[in-house]
Amino acid sequence: MATNGWSSRIDSVSLANVAQWIGTQNLAASTQSPEHAITMPPQCYTDSAFYEFEKEAIFSKEWLCLGRVEQVPNVGDYFTITMVDEPLLVVRGADEQIRVMSAVCRHRAMIVTAPAAVDPETWLDSKTVPDTSGSCTQFKCPYHYWTYDLDGQLIGAPEMHRTPGFNDKDVRLPQLPVEIWNGFIFTNFDADAPPLAPRLSRLEEKFANWHLDQLVDPEPVWVRDLPWNWKVMHENSMEAYHADRLHAGLHAMLPASHVMPTVYEPGDAAVITSIRAAHIDYSVNPTYKPLRPIIEGLSQEDRWVSTFALIPPILLIGVMTDSVLYRMVIPTGPESIHIRFGLLIPQHHLRPRRYKQIRKMEAEAVRIIGAQDWAADSGVQKGLRSRFAPRSRLSWQEEVLVSMNRWLVERYTAAAERVAAGPGPSVQVVELATGR
Ligand SMILES: [Fe+2]
């Protein structure tokens, strides 16, 4: 079934303009060896036409993290999430499988999981219906009561029997591919996308001893409408150069001078960077030491080396010796994002006596370091809009940025070639699997 892909709503002239512009920008200069590479053009972080182009080049082609399996432990558990303007519904079906489908009613495009009324106070803040979660046996759109089962099949539509030729059985919420990797739920708007896991083998090896699929996230937190580009946030999280400066003193257990070579080969679905800690059993909190028991089964190397991995474009994972932090970065425009961050810990570490005190100390560390990073992200975004915004050389401690550029440029170039090849279905229409 052909659906309205992002590009079908975009002026194809502006897509072609961006594709042409890309050809003039020498993006290859950002993918050279780290000693010679320069940063990407500032417009890639600020321009609205470029952002629309990115939706085609990246967000309609890559595996996008939507959350964790522990959010939907039982049959009928669901949550909705708006992924780059696309309202999606994640649900555990009657067969216990997790499904991802469009949350848009096939009747008049209402969000099927939206509340039947909004709280006027919340409404004034966001002016959009909230993402929701819960447990149910069917989804009843609150607008006209069109009702779908957990597979997205229409099973009821009041008064439609008088509409000639209308048959419930012909109507189903569009289904998207699902891949579960280590407890993270991924989907893809490209039904033909190659599977994700085989391209994460290097990361799988690095993170093996943490058994991410057996960890749980007790208290994920959303922060909405942060005013910077999605790549600005990931770059800040991945490069070590600023850690000794912006976070002077606070990051002493992971000194920038200990950064290790980036792991990335073309074709990889993750960019990986590591820092050898100043002492074994490092952690990021005011004591620099783990606050929880060390995760069982970690090797000596695991207890010395902090590894951060970006599975672009959404998910960042950083392992520590007592927990694993992760962050989802979801663009809402060229210069705005929602983020969700969480901390994964073993289920049996959830209820120690000091749990609340530990959470408080962890939250304090996140708050202090986060306040500095967010000041930088926000300042960088403002600077990138300047006519004087640079394309700068890099320090050796920023090598990972070159790997990220390589991942991006490969995709920008491929999409520019598709656009230049003309308005074929592969460019103009995103095909979604219908599940039939
Ligand atoms: Fe930082």
Side-chain angles (χ1 to χ4, degrees):
M1 179 182 62
T3 58
N4 302 323
W6 283 309
S7 62
S8 65
R9 295 196 296 267
I10 302 164
D11 176 1
S12 60
V13 174
S14 79
L15 266 189
N17 283 346
V18 175
Q20 210 171 20
W21 174 83
I22 281 175
T24 68
Q25 291 301 303
N26 190 14
L27 296 190
S30 300
T31 63
Q32 298 184 59
S33 63
E35 305 82 56
H36 300 290
I38 59 172
T39 53
M40 295 284 281
Q43 294 92 329
C44 297
Y45 303 81
T46 61
D47 186 82
S48 54
F50 189 83
Y51 174 67
E52 296 301 328
F53 173 82
E54 269 187 332
K55 287 185 181 177
E56 286 311 305
I58 290 173
F59 294 97
S60 60
K61 292 280 174 200
E62 300 299 324
W63 288 94
L64 309 170
C65 181
L66 300 176
R68 291 279 303 173
V69 294
E70 61 264 28
Q71 289 176 259
V72 285
N74 302 309
V75 170
D77 290 348
Y78 74 90
F79 65 91
T80 57
I81 179 168
T82 306
M83 177 53 72
V84 195
D85 296 338
E86 197 64 70
L88 299 177
L89 177 50
V90 180
V91 59
R92 194 176 289 273
D95 57 359
E96 307 226 328
Q97 296 301 305
I98 291 176
R99 290 195 174 71
V100 176
M101 56 189 94
S102 168
V104 177
C105 184
R106 303 302 295 159
H107 175 221
R108 295 263 302 284
M110 173 64 163
I111 308 303
V112 295
T113 49
V118 291
D119 173 353
E121 281 182 33
T122 314
W123 183 250
L124 288 174
D125 285 342
S126 66
K127 296 191 180 59
T128 182
V129 293
D131 289 332
T132 52
S133 61
S135 189
C136 64
T137 54
Q138 56 188 30
F139 297 104
K140 185 168 83 173
C141 178
Y143 201 5
H144 305 96
Y145 285 7
W146 280 35
T147 303
Y148 303 86
D149 69 13
L150 297 180
D151 290 345
Q153 176 63 51
L154 186 69
I155 52 173
E159 304 303 329
M160 290 298 288
H161 61 279
R162 283 171 58 167
T163 301
F166 181 86
N167 187 343
D168 289 7
K169 292 189 176 56
D170 297 338
V171 180
R172 192 176 187 190
L173 298 173
Q175 312 281 303
L176 280 77
V178 181
E179 190 166 329
I180 310 292
W181 180 82
N182 271 305
F184 291 98
I185 304 166
F186 287 85
T187 196
N188 201 312
F189 289 105
D190 181 358
D192 298 322
L196 178 66
R199 294 179 292 131
L200 291 174
S201 53
R202 269 178 264 269
L203 183 59
E204 187 80 51
E205 204 178 305
K206 286 250 174 208
F207 284 178
N209 294 336
W210 273 267
H211 300 286
L212 300 182
D213 58 328
Q214 292 165 32
L215 306 182
V216 293
D217 176 12
E219 299 173 59
V221 177
W222 279 98
V223 182
R224 296 186 185 272
D225 300 317
L226 293 171
W228 49 85
N229 181 269
W230 64 280
K231 300 183 294 297
V232 167
M233 182 122 219
H234 285 320
E235 288 174 0
N236 168 265
S237 306
M238 291 293 282
E239 60 93 348
Y241 189 29
H242 79 282
D244 288 6
R245 288 87 197 181
L246 182 69
H247 305 309
L250 290 171
H251 225 274
M253 69 293 177
L254 297 171
S257 57
H258 288 196
V259 71
M260 295 157 73
T262 304
V263 180
Y264 177 73
E265 295 287 337
D268 284 357
V271 178
I272 306 167
T273 185
S274 300
I275 299 184
R276 181 162 288 274
H279 58 75
I280 194 169
D281 297 337
Y282 59 89
S283 195
V284 182
N285 64 64
T287 71
Y288 298 158
K289 287 281 190 184
L291 298 172
R292 305 171 186 281
I294 302 292
I295 291 176
E296 295 86 351
L298 296 189
S299 68
Q300 282 286 311
E301 181 74 0
D302 294 335
R303 291 169 59 186
W304 270 102
V305 176
S306 163
T307 296
F308 273 60
L310 181 65
I311 304 177
I314 305 293
L315 182 64
L316 173 102
I317 307 173
V319 293
M320 291 177 287
T321 51
D322 61 344
S323 55
V324 175
L325 59 88
Y326 75 92
R327 183 192 296 140
M328 292 161 53
V329 176
I330 300 176
T332 53
E335 300 186 286
S336 62
I337 52 173
H338 293 335
I339 66 167
R340 166 179 149 161
F341 56 90
L343 199 70
L344 301 170
I345 54 178
Q347 181 94 40
H348 59 278
H349 293 172
L350 269 180
R351 293 284 164 245
R353 274 182 297 119
R354 293 170 56 239
Y355 180 83
K356 276 199 174 142
Q357 191 190 347
I358 291 170
R359 286 301 291 196
K360 211 173 146 194
M361 288 176 79
E362 285 167 346
E364 181 63 7
V366 168
R367 195 187 64 77
I368 296 169
I369 291 182
Q372 294 169 340
D373 280 331
W374 293 12
D377 291 335
S378 150
V380 164
Q381 189 68 38
K382 191 174 177 182
L384 287 167
R385 286 197 293 267
S386 161
R387 74 190 66 195
F388 303 114
R391 283 188 80 181
S392 169
R393 299 289 295 276
L394 296 165
S395 84
W396 69 272
Q397 294 174 352
E398 296 169 289
E399 180 196 322
V400 70
L401 299 184
V402 177
S403 295
M404 290 164 68
N405 292 347
R406 287 174 180 163
W407 187 93
L408 289 166
V409 170
E410 194 181 310
R411 282 148 184 86
Y412 293 155
T413 309
E417 281 168 9
R418 289 197 300 274
V419 170
S426 61
V427 174
Q428 291 298 317
V429 177
V430 176
E431 294 283 339
L432 292 188
T434 59
R436 295 183 192 182

